Amino acid sequence: MRRRDENFPENGFEDGGGYMQVKIAKLEAQFSSCVGKEVTRLSNIFNGVSIYVNGFTKPSADELKELMAQHGGVYHTYQRSNDYIIASNLPDTKVKNMSLSKVVKPEWITESIAANSLLDYRKYLLYKNSRTQPQLNFNKLIATKIKTDESHLKDERENIEQNLTYDSDKGLNEMGKSSNVSTTDTKPVLNKVNRNDCLAKTAVDPNFISEFYNNSRLHHISQLGAFFKQHVNDLRDSSDFSFPARTALKNNILSSSHTSLHADTSFDNGKVIMHIDMDCFFVSVGLRKRPELRGKPVAVTHSKGSKPQTKREGVDRNTEFNLYKQKQAKKLGKVTGKTEDEIFIESRVDNVGDEDNEYGSLSEIASCSYEARAKGIKNGMFMGPALKLCPNLQTIPYDFEGYKEVAYTLYNTIAQYTLDIEAVSCDEMYVDCTELLKDLKVSVQDFATALRQEIKDKTGCPCSTGFGSNRLQSRLATKRAKPDGQFFLTSDLVEDFMFSISLKDLPGVGRQTSQKLESLGHQTCGSLQTLTLGLLQRHLGNKTGAQLFDQCRGRDPNPLTFHTIRKSVSAEVNYGIRFETNDQCFHFLKQLSAEVHSRMQQFKVLGKCITLKLMVRAEEAPVETAKFMGHGFCNVLNKSSNLTNATNDIEIITKEVISLCKKQKLDPKELRGIGIQISKLEQVMSKPNNSGISKFLNKNKNVPGSNWTPKVENDVGTSCDVKNQIKVEDNTKYSITPKKKNTSSHINKSPKHELKSSPVKRRGRPPKSLKYSLMNAKSSMDKFLGGEIQVKEELPAQTVPEIIKEETPKSSDSNQDGLLSLSWEKVRELLRAWLDSGQSPKLCDTRMIASYLSKLVAKKDIDKVYILMNFLKRRTHEIDMDIWIEVYNYVLEDVQNSMIAVYGNKLWINN
């Protein structure tokens, strides 16, 4: 840039002081001219007041310009020294480099007009404390003590209750998402010292964790969700998949006077997926005990009302809230390419007042009625802004026992007709109704009507259902069906339906992705359909781009998951974390490790990866948080440790967690949240398994002299007993002795036969090269799939009793190594018999196969793993059922994780 003292060529603006001075004078003249001619003067409220609008505001800059003209004020397009700066949000760079003494919220203008007088601007300052002034160092409190007299003790406890929030499961989320500053509302954790004193507990208290989880609503809700996912698993494991209740349902539908003559509906690919969701679940359950509130705006929350609280020293809500917004704006700026000034962040705290304000409650609304939603209230909104929108909002408490009761009824009602259920939460699920509807031979419309009525009769709560050919379509259909309705997204409606769907309504499209798409000029699915796959992937990445390319057209390739597999176990606390010493911190880590250990025992899992999450107060954040004892604005650190062997040993977990914490060398006074997560889980088989394969392995084990052989069919369909030998060299050879076909035998009955087998023999050392192993295994696989099986006569069964005796498990206890106790050929044929059984696979069987293959990887028997995985892939895809594809994907994930751990590479699988 040229310096000011350099000579510039003449440009015609010299007499006016330069181009900018002339431009400013011209704009002010235009404003004066507009005031004199076009705008009707309504009052002189802002006589002598000039404003400058900085950034996005509500009302907008143009609207404020007109208001100032109507009421005697001056609007400057360029800022002058005596202007009041009108702003709703300022980026951190501006906050640091400007005086904040006259930065005022736009409400100052609108509320002054409403009052017909100029109000004190100081009550509307965007920042109450100037950032240019030195900050006061308030002492950090281990516990906040609130002194009251006896008559006000109850009110103070309610005030604290309105302000306390916990988040045991989700931790810190960005502003404007499902959780902000701190998300889980709870009842207060208080110690009553005497009649006049209440002492809030912190993490230093030995009973803190137990009371924390007893009061945490998100903990209860997440536990309910996990419980019903496991409930579906248990129902499937114990079921014979016969559904006698279908007959009654069919008769009920056919005899109903409301049965309509619907034309046959057609869904893409012949699939009929139902999404079922209870309407305003928490509210609906709560209103069963409060019928007088039906039809009124109602919210479920811990808050009791709008009583102002005593303001705590050191709290600066505006600064804390704006730090969240600035962080989010920076993220969006990187995604969209916009400057921070061009990005407006709308969040739940925009209209929250100070603690001593009647609209200052930060208690979170978990659920609200449709009457409340009509007033602008939403789930997740804080009570302060909600009361501004609806002063007569009624509140009801949580009813966790009621939620569990209704959820049980919901799941068991569906389970009596089908178990093709993917549990989502305690009040939401997906159901594959394809087979069910074929069996019932009724229209999907009549089925939905009857099912919803049955659920409403049993629970007293309404629900909505959506139907489509995949999970995406059914979920979007449910949104159209609400409240208390049903919608069918048939194949002929998909194209037009998806065209107008907002991109924000697509699952997985969050704030950053939607902002990025908006910057490209796309807000609806119809608009996005104009972009090619390559262009989407170039802007959003391969995975997200491909996902959105399908989603905007109503396509979703992901099948339903009927068996839910737990991926991790965790425990997190981000309320009440206030330490003075490292010893206090380490003692708490021991307690939290014990909580994680208890949960691992509950789920019967071991884990290999331990992750410690630490929330540390950001340097620029106030010491006292906006939420009483909450975590405030933090930096989040995640550190992990990978163990050699999976474990749930509490001493090992505690040792690793404390070691990870010590390595960070943090000041314990700055900690605001702590979480421990165990991942890379393995299932613990604590007692004999009653699964199909286990029963097959252990059948007749107590019958003297009984030797069994699994009955299978080979690739050409002939029945044979498994008698084989294997040699693993450069080529693998198999020999199976056939028997005469017994027409009275059936594949799935596993009759008694005698087995002759020799132990696995390996010549030479195992291959040192993974590539060599895979080439060798591929040759074996080609022969296996090609049916190149050598057949020869073997010695009579009576000549090898010792071999059979040696290989057959003596008892269930001897089967602790699972399939490793059998020869590899037996496992291979047993796997084939399982796949050809015609029965639905059980989770315990799938886990057994996955565990066996993972152990083969650990033993570096890659050739066997390669053969079995490719065989499993081929057969499961030939069966062409979603549940068997899920089996393959589950096993593949375990095998690939083991491969990475042992070799650092994944196993190559044939296409």
Side-chain angles (χ1 to χ4, degrees):
M1 294 180 61
R2 295 182 176 178
R3 299 182 182 274
R4 290 182 178 271
D5 56 358
E6 290 187 29
N7 293 324
F8 285 87
E10 294 184 0
N11 56 19
F13 293 102
E14 292 78 19
D15 293 338
Y19 172 78
M20 287 304 298
Q21 285 75 12
V22 171
K23 183 176 181 180
I24 292 171
K26 180 180 178 182
L27 290 170
E28 291 180 355
Q30 288 176 350
F31 179 80
S32 300
S33 174
C34 175
V35 171
K37 294 180 181 180
E38 300 176 4
V39 177
T40 302
R41 177 67 65 86
L42 301 178
S43 73
N44 289 313
I45 295 174
F46 298 109
N47 187 31
V49 175
S50 62
I51 68 168
Y52 164 72
V53 178
N54 192 322
F56 183 90
T57 58
K58 288 185 178 181
S60 67
D62 288 340
E63 292 172 313
L64 290 172
K65 180 179 180 180
E66 185 174 356
L67 290 175
M68 293 301 287
Q70 291 174 342
H71 298 278
V74 176
Y75 175 95
H76 284 154
T77 306
Y78 293 90
Q79 183 181 352
R80 296 202 172 185
S81 58
N82 60 338
D83 287 345
Y84 290 90
I85 301 172
I86 307 299
S88 297
N89 179 41
L90 292 175
D92 191 50
T93 52
K94 289 187 177 180
V95 173
K96 291 179 179 179
N97 297 315
M98 66 186 293
S99 172
L100 305 177
S101 60
K102 295 178 73 175
V103 179
V104 188
K105 299 175 185 177
E107 287 81 3
W108 177 50
I109 304 293
T110 55
E111 293 184 15
S112 291
I113 294 173
N116 200 29
S117 65
L118 185 63
L119 302 178
D120 187 350
Y121 76 91
R122 289 173 295 184
K123 294 182 180 180
Y124 296 89
L125 288 174
L126 184 62
Y127 296 96
K128 296 294 178 68
N129 297 323
S130 174
R131 293 290 299 274
T132 60
Q133 296 176 352
Q135 291 186 335
L136 298 176
N137 293 320
F138 294 102
N139 292 328
K140 294 176 280 295
L141 302 177
I142 297 178
T144 301
K145 195 173 184 182
I146 305 169
K147 294 185 178 180
T148 67
D149 57 35
E150 186 174 358
S151 62
H152 292 89
L153 179 59
K154 181 179 179 181
D155 288 342
E156 289 298 335
R157 290 175 68 90
E158 289 184 354
N159 288 344
I160 298 172
E161 183 172 340
Q162 291 177 22
N163 204 30
L164 285 181
T165 58
Y166 292 34
D167 187 352
S168 63
D169 301 291
K170 292 186 177 178
L172 176 65
N173 289 332
E174 294 302 335
M175 186 67 66
K177 294 187 180 179
S178 60
S179 62
N180 294 7
V181 190
S182 186
T183 59
T184 308
D185 293 326
T186 69
K187 294 181 180 178
V189 178
L190 299 172
N191 274 337
K192 189 172 183 181
V193 181
N194 53 51
R195 296 182 65 179
N196 295 327
D197 293 327
C198 284
L199 188 65
K201 284 186 178 180
T202 69
V204 176
D205 190 285
N207 299 318
F208 178 83
I209 287 182
S210 61
E211 295 193 26
F212 172 85
Y213 285 118
N214 285 338
N215 289 291
S216 168
R217 73 172 178 92
L218 276 189
H219 172 66
H220 284 288
I221 294 169
S222 66
Q223 288 293 90
L224 278 177
F227 177 83
F228 284 102
K229 289 177 182 179
Q230 184 59 43
H231 182 53
V232 173
N233 288 354
D234 294 341
L235 288 173
R236 290 182 64 88
D237 285 342
S238 61
S239 175
D240 61 357
F241 290 85
S242 63
F243 304 98
R246 288 184 181 182
T247 303
L249 175 62
K250 182 175 182 179
N251 293 336
N252 179 42
I253 293 174
L254 295 178
S255 63
S256 173
S257 59
H258 300 289
T259 302
S260 55
L261 299 175
H262 290 290
D264 289 338
T265 52
S266 174
F267 294 91
D268 290 336
N269 304 317
K271 281 281 188 182
V272 184
I273 306 299
M274 175 177 69
H275 178 249
I276 187 166
D277 191 14
M278 303 298 288
D279 296 332
C280 303
F281 183 56
F282 290 175
V283 173
S284 297
V285 175
L287 291 182
R288 298 189 308 170
K289 298 178 180 178
R290 299 287 302 276
E292 73 277 6
L293 294 179
R294 294 188 187 278
K296 297 180 180 180
V298 178
V300 177
T301 178
H302 281 307
S303 176
K304 295 294 188 297
S306 58
K307 295 181 180 179
Q309 305 164 36
T310 303
K311 190 168 183 178
R312 293 170 287 135
E313 290 185 314
V315 175
D316 187 350
R317 285 189 169 185
N318 284 330
T319 297
E320 185 173 318
F321 294 163
N322 277 285
L323 286 172
Y324 281 102
K325 290 185 176 182
Q326 290 158 21
K327 181 179 180 180
Q328 188 64 27
K330 287 178 182 178
K331 286 186 177 181
L332 291 176
K334 291 180 181 179
V335 173
T336 61
K338 295 181 178 179
T339 64
E340 292 180 31
D341 291 342
E342 297 175 301
I343 298 174
F344 172 69
I345 303 295
E346 194 172 16
S347 76
R348 300 185 299 169
V349 296
D350 284 342
N351 295 311
V352 176
D354 284 329
E355 285 179 292
D356 54 355
N357 187 291
E358 61 178 325
Y359 302 121
S361 174
L362 286 172
S363 185
E364 188 177 12
I365 293 174
S367 179
C368 58
S369 65
Y370 285 101
E371 292 79 10
R373 296 181 190 190
K375 302 288 187 180
I377 299 172
K378 300 177 182 178
N379 292 351
M381 182 179 283
F382 293 125
M383 272 296 291
L387 289 169
K388 273 188 178 181
L389 295 172
C390 181
N392 63 333
L393 180 65
Q394 304 289 315
T395 63
I396 58 176
Y398 293 92
D399 180 10
F400 292 109
E401 287 304 313
Y403 307 150
K404 190 172 183 179
E405 174 198 337
V406 172
Y408 249 127
T409 304
L410 169 66
Y411 273 89
N412 291 340
T413 298
I414 304 298
Q416 64 183 333
Y417 305 128
T418 181
L419 286 173
D420 292 342
I421 299 170
E422 179 181 318
V424 178
S425 65
C426 58
D427 68 320
E428 180 186 4
M429 70 177 81
Y430 293 96
V431 185
D432 189 337
C433 299
T434 310
E435 184 273 331
L436 170 60
L437 288 169
K438 286 180 181 178
D439 186 34
L440 291 176
K441 295 182 176 63
V442 298
S443 71
V444 64
Q445 291 93 338
D446 290 338
F447 164 74
T449 301
L451 186 65
R452 288 178 47 247
Q453 188 60 50
E454 181 179 359
I455 292 170
K456 193 170 186 177
D457 291 342
K458 288 181 176 179
T459 64
C461 302
C463 69
S464 298
T465 56
F467 290 80
S469 66
N470 55 49
R471 67 167 69 236
L472 172 65
Q473 291 181 13
S474 62
R475 180 177 176 180
L476 294 175
T478 304
K479 286 190 175 183
R480 177 71 64 88
K482 284 182 173 289
D484 196 13
Q486 54 198 43
F487 185 79
F488 308 92
L489 189 51
T490 51
S491 54
D492 59 314
L493 299 178
V494 172
E495 185 175 353
D496 290 340
F497 179 88
M498 293 303 303
F499 192 84
S500 59
I501 294 294
S502 171
L503 293 173
K504 295 179 181 179
D505 290 336
L506 297 178
V509 177
R511 181 190 294 270
Q512 292 187 27
T513 303
S514 63
Q515 286 273 3
K516 176 67 173 178
L517 293 171
E518 189 174 336
S519 70
L520 298 174
H522 301 282
Q523 295 182 340
T524 65
C525 288
S527 174
L528 200 66
Q529 290 173 12
T530 62
L531 299 185
T532 64
L533 173 61
L535 189 59
L536 274 174
Q537 290 180 323
R538 194 153 57 246
H539 285 294
L540 302 172
N542 290 341
K543 183 177 180 181
T544 304
Q547 175 183 318
L548 278 173
F549 184 80
D550 282 337
Q551 284 185 327
C552 71
R553 292 166 172 80
R555 301 199 293 252
D556 186 349
N558 300 314
L560 299 190
T561 303
F562 303 143
H563 272 287
T564 303
I565 309 299
R566 178 169 284 275
K567 299 293 185 181
S568 64
V569 176
S570 63
E572 183 174 337
V573 177
N574 56 19
Y575 166 83
I577 300 296
R578 298 293 188 273
F579 302 124
E580 287 293 319
T581 66
N582 281 322
D583 287 341
Q584 290 176 345
C585 175
F586 298 153
H587 181 70
F588 178 79
L589 288 173
K590 291 180 181 178
Q591 292 179 308
L592 198 59
S593 297
E595 176 67 24
V596 173
H597 170 256
S598 174
R599 297 185 185 188
M600 294 182 74
Q601 288 185 316
Q602 175 188 349
F603 297 120
K604 299 178 182 178
V605 292
L606 309 174
K608 280 188 176 181
C609 181
I610 301 175
T611 300
L612 176 65
K613 174 182 176 180
L614 298 173
M615 300 177 68
V616 186
R617 182 183 70 86
E619 183 178 357
E620 63 271 31
V623 174
E624 291 299 323
T625 55
K627 289 243 185 182
F628 176 69
M629 300 297 284
H631 56 71
F633 185 74
C634 292
N635 297 320
V636 180
L637 304 177
N638 289 290
K639 300 297 177 182
S640 299
S641 174
N642 288 295
L643 307 178
T644 305
N645 299 310
T647 184
N648 66 355
D649 189 302
I650 187 172
E651 293 185 2
I652 295 176
I653 294 172
T654 304
K655 180 181 177 182
E656 290 296 327
V657 165
I658 293 179
S659 175
L660 288 170
C661 185
K662 287 181 177 178
K663 289 178 182 178
Q664 308 315 308
K665 298 180 180 179
L666 298 171
D667 183 351
K669 298 177 182 179
E670 302 302 320
L671 287 175
R672 294 293 182 267
I674 296 177
I676 300 173
Q677 182 189 70
I678 312 295
S679 55
K680 297 183 180 178
L681 302 183
E682 297 179 6
Q683 199 71 26
V684 176
M685 292 296 187
S686 58
K687 56 185 179 180
N689 199 318
N690 292 323
S691 69
I693 291 182
S694 294
K695 290 177 181 177
F696 187 74
L697 291 173
N698 296 321
K699 188 174 182 180
N700 300 322
K701 65 179 182 290
N702 294 323
V703 179
S706 67
N707 297 317
W708 50 266
T709 301
K711 190 78 169 181
V712 301
E713 286 190 0
N714 61 22
D715 287 338
V716 294
T718 58
S719 179
C720 63
D721 294 329
V722 181
K723 297 181 181 180
N724 43 47
Q725 292 179 337
I726 181 169
K727 295 180 180 179
V728 182
E729 299 173 315
D730 290 346
N731 295 305
T732 304
K733 298 181 180 179
Y734 309 90
S735 61
I736 298 180
T737 302
K739 282 200 172 185
K740 294 181 180 179
K741 188 172 182 180
N742 187 344
T743 56
S744 64
S745 299
H746 298 281
I747 270 182
N748 58 353
K749 290 186 178 179
S750 302
K752 300 178 188 176
H753 290 284
E754 292 183 349
L755 171 68
K756 294 192 300 181
S757 177
S758 60
V760 176
K761 297 179 181 178
R762 180 181 292 276
R763 294 183 182 177
R765 296 181 179 179
K768 294 182 180 179
S769 168
L770 177 60
K771 182 178 180 181
Y772 177 83
S773 295
L774 295 181
M775 291 174 61
N776 187 28
K778 187 175 186 301
S779 174
S780 304
M781 185 65 185
D782 291 339
K783 291 190 176 184
F784 180 78
L785 296 177
E788 298 177 23
I789 301 175
Q790 296 181 2
V791 179
K792 63 179 181 180
E793 292 294 332
E794 295 288 350
L795 294 175
Q798 291 85 346
T799 62
V800 284
E802 292 301 321
I803 295 177
I804 300 169
K805 187 175 180 180
E806 188 177 281
E807 291 189 352
T808 305
K810 296 180 180 178
S811 67
S812 60
D813 293 336
S814 68
N815 195 31
Q816 59 182 350
D817 290 332
L819 298 176
L820 283 179
S821 61
L822 300 177
S823 66
W824 182 71
E825 311 87 61
K826 289 182 185 177
V827 174
R828 185 192 64 186
E829 298 303 335
L830 182 58
L831 179 60
R832 183 181 301 180
W834 182 49
L835 290 162
D836 292 341
S837 66
Q839 300 178 358
S840 295
K842 295 187 176 181
L843 178 60
C844 43
D845 292 337
T846 306
R847 286 173 174 164
M848 184 182 296
I849 295 294
S851 175
Y852 169 73
L853 287 165
S854 295
K855 289 175 181 176
L856 285 183
V857 173
K859 292 174 63 179
K860 299 189 177 181
D861 284 345
I862 307 302
D863 49 354
K864 298 176 184 177
V865 177
Y866 180 84
I867 291 172
L868 291 182
M869 282 304 301
N870 280 278
F871 173 65
L872 183 63
K873 179 179 180 180
R874 178 175 67 83
R875 287 296 294 120
T876 53
H877 284 73
E878 285 175 355
I879 295 172
D880 195 25
M881 292 177 62
D882 289 343
I883 190 171
W884 282 106
I885 301 298
E886 291 173 25
V887 167
Y888 170 74
N889 290 334
Y890 175 83
V891 174
L892 178 64
E893 183 177 2
D894 269 23
V895 168
Q896 299 294 27
N897 287 339
S898 300
M899 287 291 298
I900 292 173
V902 176
Y903 291 101
N905 292 300
K906 290 186 176 182
L907 181 72
W908 182 78
I909 305 292
N910 283 329
N911 292 326

